[in-house]
Amino acid sequence: VDTIAQLQLVLGPEGVRAPGEISERYLGDWFMRAEPGVRPAALTLPRSTEDVSAILKICHAEGNPVVPQGGLTGLAGGGVPIHNCILVSLERMRAIVEIDPVAATMTVEAGIPLQAVQEAAAAAGLLFPLDIGGRGSCQIGGNISTNAGGNRVLRFGMMRDLILGIEAVLADGTIVTSLNKMLKNNAAYDVKQLFIGSEGTLGVVTRAVLRLFPNPTSLCTALCAVADFDQVYDLLGRARAELGGTLSAFEVMWPAFYRRAIAGRRKVPLGPDFGAYVLIESMGSDQMRDSDRFNEFVERAGEHGVLADAVIARSLSEGLALWSIRDASGDLVKELAPVANFDVSVETGRTGAFAQECGDRLRARFAGAAAICFGHLADSNLHIFVTAAVRPFPEREIDEIVYGCVRDWGGSISAEHGIGLVKKPYLSYSRSPAEIAVMKALKAALDPRGILNPGKVFD
Amino acid sequence: VDTIAQLQLVLGPEGVRAPGEISERYLGDWFMRAEPGVRPAALTLPRSTEDVSAILKICHAEGNPVVPQGGLTGLAGGGVPIHNCILVSLERMRAIVEIDPVAATMTVEAGIPLQAVQEAAAAAGLLFPLDIGGRGSCQIGGNISTNAGGNRVLRFGMMRDLILGIEAVLADGTIVTSLNKMLKNNAAYDVKQLFIGSEGTLGVVTRAVLRLFPNPTSLCTALCAVADFDQVYDLLGRARAELGGTLSAFEVMWPAFYRRAIAGRRKVPLGPDFGAYVLIESMGSDQMRDSDRFNEFVERAGEHGVLADAVIARSLSEGLALWSIRDASGDLVKELAPVANFDVSVETGRTGAFAQECGDRLRARFAGAAAICFGHLADSNLHIFVTAAVRPFPEREIDEIVYGCVRDWGGSISAEHGIGLVKKPYLSYSRSPAEIAVMKALKAALDPRGILNPGKVFD
C-alpha cells in the first residue's frame, strides 16, 4: 500500500490503477494468461522517461517486482503479470520525437505502435521495414525487448539491425540515454545491445532511434515447385547470387503444408505432388529492370533443371494470391486445433533433414501425428504445426520431442518469439551452462535485487 | 617466474617466450609503441581454445594482467603491452574450421588474417565483405574486438553485422562457445555482442562464425561535384532511393582535400573550385542493367540541378582512377606531417556544418591551421587531417579542440578505430556517466579481478 501511495504521489491518480481497476487485457499476451490467482499490485502508466525512472526507484527501494508491458502481442508470456508486481505499461509514451530524412532515422518513445511508425516513415517517403502480424497493437519497446523478426528479415534484418540508439531505465531508476543516430560509433562498449532481446529483464526501454530505408518501388513474386531439398538449397544459392540485394523472401512450404493451404481453392497455381514449394520475392527500385532480371532468374533455374514447375506473378494481385497460400498458416492453425505450434531455427542446409527427423520422432511416439512445416528458410527459421490424434492433447510431450530434436541438431528453441515464460524450461536445450552463467552474471550486475521481470527468460 | 613455469608446463617451451625472446613487433600497433620501460612478462602462443583457457586460468589465479593480441594493426593502442603483462597472441590459431555454402557461413579460428578469409570465401564463390587497409596482417579476432569498419560498411555493415557466432574465453578461463550459424536466434540474451567492440577487455575471442554473401558482379563508379552540402544531402537521398540496395560507397571530399589529392596530376576529372566532391559506387549482380540504372541516376540528378558536374567511369580502370583520388589520403597524411589524424562520427545531416565549425575553432586558436576533411558520409564517419604551422606541433591541444567540437555536436570520438589507450582521455566526450557506469558494471561482472587488458578503454 505504501508503494502505491508513493507511486500516486509521483504519477498522479490517473497514472496508477489499483488492482480492482486493472482491465483484463493487462493480464495476458497473445499466447497465455496469468494464472487465476495472480494479481498485480498496481498498473502504472508513465508519461515520460522521468516517470519510469521514479517508478523503478520506488520499486527498487521496496524490492517490489516490476513487469514492463508493451502491446501485449507477445507469444512467449514475457509481459504476463506475476503476483504482486507493479505493471509498467508504456502505452502513454507514444510520441514521435523526430524524423531526420538525411540521417534516415526516426526517434520515438517506446510505447508507439509499430504501425504508427510504419505510417510516419511512409509519410516521410521512407520505409521502416520491421513488419509482424501484431503491427497494429505491438509497441516499438516490445519489438526491441523481444528482438522482433517477421516478414522482411532476409532483406533488412531483425529489430537489432534496425536500432541505432536506445534510452533505457535500469532497475535502480538510472536513466541510460544512448540516442545515437550514427551508423558508426565505436566509443567503447555498445551498451544498447543489452536491452535488445532481453525481454525487459535488464532495463525498461523508454526511447529509441530507428533506421529508415528508401521505399522499394518494385516487387516481383514467384511460386516454385522443386523435387527435393537439395534443389531448395540450389535454388537459394541462385536467388542470392542472381537477385543480389533485392531478394526479400524465400519461404519454403512442405507438401503437407501446401496441400492443406490450397484445400478447397478453385484455382491452384501448382499441383500438390512436388517435394517442396518455394515462394520467392524480390524488392527493388526499378520495376522494369527488376522484373526482367527476376524472370530470367526463374527461367535459368528451370533450364538448369532446378525447378519442377513455377508460376511468376504478372500483377500485384497475382502476387498477393501466391502469398495467400503461405499466409494460410493463420487460418490453418485454427482449423488444426488442438495443435502445438513451434518457432525454431536450424542451420539452413539441414532444414530438410531436420524436419524429416522431427516428424519421424513424433510419429514413432504418436501414430498418426503430423508435423506440418513451413518457414523462412534463408533465415534458418522453421515453423512447425504438430497434430496428434491422442486426447487429452499431449502438448508437453510434443514440446519435449520437438525441442529435444532441436537440441540434438544444435538449433534454437526460439527463432524470433523469445523465451519469456513459455520456453524457459527448454533454454538449456539451446544454450550451454557457460552461456547461461554469463546471462545470469549480466542480470546480477544490472539488476542485483532481481526486480525486473523476475521469473522470465531464466530463474 | 612461477607463472611462466606454469605456462610452460601447459603450452610447452615453444608456446611461451621469455622477455628477452619477444621481438619488437609485439610491443606496439600501427599507431603507437609501448613506453620504453614497459616489458611484458611473457608472450604466449596458444594453439587451441583449451590453451587460451589454461593461460587465463593461470593468470586469473595469480592476478596477472593479460593483453590479447591480434595482427597489431590497430590505430588506438588496444593491443599495446602493459608492464609485466602476459601477452596472448592468437597468431597460431589460424585454421578455417568449416565453410558452409548453404548457410553462407565460414567458421574460423580467431588468429586467421582477414585476407585469408577473403580469399577462402572467394574460392568458394562467395564474399566476406569486411575490408580494411590492414587486411594482410590484421586478424579476425582483432576485427571482432574492435568492431572493424572500413570500405564497405554502407552496403554490408560493420564487423558486428557480419558475425553470427563467437567462442570466447572469459577472464577466469571459462570457455563460452556460441558458434551459432543461424540468422535468427532469440534464445535469451545474445551473449556474443559482449565480445564485439570491447577491445579484449571482457574476453578473448578464439573462434567465430562469419556471414558470407554472394559475390557482386557489377560495379559502377562516378565522381560528382556539387555546389554545397545541401546538395550533398539531396544527392545522398537520391542515391539511396534510386540505387536501392546496390549503393556501396558515398565518399565525400571537401575542396581542401580534393585540391591536395589532385595536385601534380596531369589529368584531372573535375575542376578544383566546387563546394564538395562525392564518389559514388554501386555493386550489383547484373552489369548491363545496373550500369543503365546508375547512368540514369546521375543524369537525373544533373537534370534536377543537384550536380554541378560529374564523371562516370566507363571502365574498371577509369573507376580505379577515380578511387585513386579518394585513396590519396594515405600519401597525403605522410606529406602533411606533422599532422593530427581523426576518425570521428557526426550525424550525417550535420557533417558539413560540423566540419566548418571545427575548422573555424582550429583557425581561431592557430592562425593558418587547416582541417582537411573527407569521409564515408552516409555512414556518418568523417576523417580529418589537421595541420598547423606552430612548432612543436600542438597535438594535444588540437585533440582537445576537435574532440571538444565532437562533444558539442553530440558526435562520437571514434567511428571505427576504437578507444584503446589513445582516446581514453576523451571517452566522456561521447558517453554519459550512466553509459560508462554500465560499461564498468559489465567489466566488473565478467572480469572481477580486472586482468583482461587493464587500462584500455577506461580505467
Side-chain angles (χ1 to χ4, degrees), chain A residues 102 146-147 178 181 184-187 189 201 240 285 289 293 296 345 347 381 412 414 416 431 435, chain B residues 102 146-147 178 184-187 189 201 240 285 289 293 296 345 347 381 412 414 416 431 435:
Chain A
V102 178
T146 56
N147 187 27
S178 298
K181 285 166 67 176
K184 282 173 156 179
N185 187 347
N186 272 346
Y189 307 172
T201 60
R240 282 180 179 143
S285 55
R289 291 194 183 101
R293 187 166 67 160
E296 287 169 18
S345 276
E347 291 173 18
N381 187 182
S412 174
S414 176
E416 54 185 10
R431 297 296 192 188
E435 290 176 289
Chain B
V102 178
T146 55
N147 188 27
S178 299
K184 281 174 157 179
N185 186 348
N186 272 347
Y189 305 173
T201 61
R240 282 179 178 143
S285 55
R289 290 194 183 102
R293 187 165 66 159
E296 286 169 19
S345 276
E347 290 173 18
N381 185 182
S412 173
S414 176
E416 53 186 10
R431 297 296 192 188
E435 290 176 289

Side-chain angles (χ1 to χ4, degrees), chain B residues 55 76 110 156 168 173 185 195 220 320 351 370 394 439 447:
Chain B
I55 295 166
F156 295 101
N185 186 348
F195 306 110
C220 305
L320 290 173
T351 320
M439 294 179 197
D447 180 17

